[in-house]
């Protein structure tokens, strides 16, 4: 049994991980001598780190997401050499040392699928070195595939939520959303979720969910429009798709790139879509393009600033859910205002909604 040095990521541990030792013992992964109660087939492989060249094995348990990452090249070689199937096939593939890796994949691709997969894997790893394989794969998914995937992801992300498409608030959101997405490749669907948490999120393919908590926290239709304008950019620019692909791990992502779409492959990733964070760059891109969408729709931009500013200054034990995925730092607020000054001013018509009336209709 070979032990290798890793960084261990687990709920409750520092976000940069903790040094630990790991091994594969009797067909299971063990960390610090303790067996991880997760089947090897449920462990995903992904590349991450600053240059996207760091190998991660990850899995989910009740408490949340766990991952290990070898500390250096020699630990990585030890890990790859020690990994039993089904992990070994993928890991050896990642090293282009694949002569014996032709095991049936978890998605039933079989030997033929693997033969097709290997060149993709090799290309993928090359691309990954310089850019980001998730973005690369996301770029190779057609809109039709994305919509199919989105439908599955939407079902999983909203399981247990109380959704509706009717009512004064949902009608207003659909109308404002339509103004902001005129000419888009996506046919958007707008939902209101009966949930007091202040949150909204978008799913690949054009599903947007707005909580009643957000509707109640807004003082004007323009504030809601600001959030929607930002959220739809995560769809338009395929940020949520990239995020989803990235979280799936390399194996499922490549199956997806080959046109395989199944609900099983999404694991619990889609269920956590509303909690997935974007990088600061993507957030800032969504802010900028969101402002342009507001301009195009002739909607005043100040609602976007005032809403996030309001959330930021809100006192309370827990920050609003929207802020956990959209940190409204002073820098972001300043950047938003600078973007507005940069783009604007533009002629705007007040949105034809008395938001007090819309909110009162919910009660
Ligand atoms: Zn965002």
């Amino acid at each position: 049994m070979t032990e290798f040095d890793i960084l261990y990521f687990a709920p409750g541990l520092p976000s940069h991980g903790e040094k630990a030792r790991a091994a594969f013992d009797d067909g299971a992964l063990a960390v610090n001598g303790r067996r991880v109660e997760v089947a090897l087939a449920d462990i995903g492989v992904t590349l991450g780190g600053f240059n996207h060249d760091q190998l991660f094995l990850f899995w989910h348990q009740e408490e949340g997401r766990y991952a290990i990452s070898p500390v250096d090249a020699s630990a990585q070689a030890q890990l790859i050499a020690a990994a039993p199937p089904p992990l070994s096939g993928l890991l050896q593939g990642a090293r282009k040392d694949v002569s014996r890796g032709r095991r049936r994949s978890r998605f039933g691709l079989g030997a033929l699928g693997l033969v097709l997969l290997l060149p993709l894997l090799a290309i993928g790893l090359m691309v990954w070195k310089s850019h980001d394989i998730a973005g690369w794969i996301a770029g190779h998914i057609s809109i039709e595939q994305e919509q199919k995937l989105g439908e599955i992801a939407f079902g999983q992300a909203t399981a247990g939520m109380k959704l509706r498409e009717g009512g004064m608030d949902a009608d207003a959101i659909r109308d404002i959303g339509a103004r902001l997405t005129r000419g888009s490749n996506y046919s958007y669907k707008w939902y209101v979720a009966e949930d007091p948490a202040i949150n909204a999120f978008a799913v690949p393919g054009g599903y947007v969910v707005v909580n009643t908590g957000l509707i109640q926290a807004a003082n004007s239709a323009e504030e809601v429009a600001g959030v929607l304008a930002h959220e739809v950019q995560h769809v338009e620019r395929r940020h949520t798709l990239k995020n989803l692909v990235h979280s799936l791990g390399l194996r499922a992502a490549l199956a997806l790139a080959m046109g395989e779409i199944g609900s099983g492959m999404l694991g619990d990733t889609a269920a956590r879509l509303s909690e997935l964070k974007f990088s600061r760059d993507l957030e800032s891109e969504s802010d900028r393009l969101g402002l342009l969408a507001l301009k195009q729709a002739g909607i005043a931009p100040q609602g976007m600033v005032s809403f996030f500013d309001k959330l930021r200054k809100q006192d309370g034990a827990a920050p609003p859910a929207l802020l956990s995925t959209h940190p409204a730092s002073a820098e972001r607020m300043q950047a938003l205002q600078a973007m507005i000054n940069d783009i604007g001013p533009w002629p705007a018509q007040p949105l034809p909604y008395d938001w007090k009336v819309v909110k009162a209709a919910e009660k």
Side-chain angles (χ1 to χ4, degrees), residues 23-99:
F24 291 103
D25 185 16
D26 196 19
L29 176 66
V31 177
N32 285 338
R34 204 172 303 156
R35 200 181 153 97
V36 174
E37 295 301 333
V38 164
L40 289 185
D42 291 328
I43 295 181
V45 177
T46 186
L47 291 178
F50 195 64
N51 293 318
H52 278 284
D53 56 359
Q54 204 179 333
L55 185 68
F56 286 85
L57 302 189
F58 67 93
W59 64 94
H60 294 94
Q61 284 173 251
E62 226 169 83
E63 300 78 21
R65 188 178 198 268
Y66 290 74
I68 63 169
S69 181
V71 292
D72 55 23
S74 105
Q76 178 164 322
Q78 285 173 319
L79 183 155
I80 291 173
L87 275 177
S88 54
L90 179 71
L91 289 167
Q92 285 168 9
R95 282 172 89 207
K96 300 186 197 166
D97 175 19
V98 291
S99 53

Side-chain angles (χ1 to χ4, degrees), residues 53-283:
D53 56 359
Q54 204 179 333
L55 185 68
F56 286 85
L57 302 189
F58 67 93
W59 64 94
H60 294 94
Q61 284 173 251
E62 226 169 83
E63 300 78 21
R65 188 178 198 268
Y66 290 74
I68 63 169
S69 181
V71 292
D72 55 23
S74 105
Q76 178 164 322
Q78 285 173 319
L79 183 155
I80 291 173
L87 275 177
S88 54
L90 179 71
L91 289 167
Q92 285 168 9
R95 282 172 89 207
K96 300 186 197 166
D97 175 19
V98 291
S99 53
R100 295 185 310 112
R102 299 185 181 187
R103 298 191 170 86
R104 226 179 127 70
S105 93
R106 187 173 158 201
F107 303 110
L109 287 174
L112 180 66
L114 206 53
V115 167
L116 293 171
L117 201 80
L118 291 177
L120 258 176
L121 186 64
I123 296 167
L125 286 175
M126 264 158 29
V127 174
W128 199 327
K129 286 231 161 89
S130 52
H131 302 287
D132 174 357
I133 199 168
W136 178 79
I137 289 177
H140 285 73
I141 294 174
S142 68
I143 294 234
E144 289 71 29
Q145 269 182 307
E146 184 182 357
Q147 253 145 10
K148 245 191 263 174
L149 183 73
E151 198 181 316
I152 298 169
F154 173 74
Q156 295 185 0
T158 59
M161 288 185 190
K162 234 179 118 194
L163 295 183
R164 54 183 169 77
E165 290 177 89
M168 198 186 272
D169 50 2
D171 291 345
I173 280 168
R174 191 179 316 108
D175 169 51
I176 297 167
R179 292 169 189 244
L180 291 167
T181 54
R182 215 164 278 154
S184 167
N185 286 327
Y186 297 92
S187 23
Y188 281 86
K189 290 201 160 227
W190 311 89
Y191 297 88
V192 169
E194 301 279 357
D195 186 336
I198 301 172
N199 206 6
F201 67 97
V203 177
Y207 298 83
V208 180
V209 178
V210 182
N211 282 1
T212 46
L214 190 147
I215 292 164
Q216 292 294 332
N219 288 336
S220 67
E222 277 73 12
E223 290 195 341
V224 176
V227 174
L228 293 181
H230 173 101
E231 280 306 315
V232 295
Q233 305 313 319
H234 287 320
V235 174
E236 293 291 320
R237 303 295 303 157
R238 292 189 149 183
H239 298 163
T240 62
L241 180 65
K242 282 179 208 167
N243 233 353
L244 187 61
V245 169
H246 196 253
S247 308
L248 288 179
L250 195 51
R251 178 170 42 185
L254 285 169
L256 188 63
M258 291 178 66
E260 288 227 346
I261 293 175
S263 51
M265 70 195 291
L266 292 182
D268 74 337
T269 305
R272 297 178 300 115
L273 258 188
S274 65
E275 303 159 23
L276 288 184
K277 295 178 175 65
F278 300 105
S279 70
R280 207 185 298 175
D281 283 353
L282 297 188
E283 283 305 329

Side-chain angles (χ1 to χ4, degrees), residues 196-199 310-325:
I198 301 172
N199 206 6
K310 180 167 53 187
L311 293 194
R312 184 163 75 97
K313 289 172 182 154
Q314 208 172 68
D315 288 332
L322 191 67
L323 289 194
S324 76
T325 50

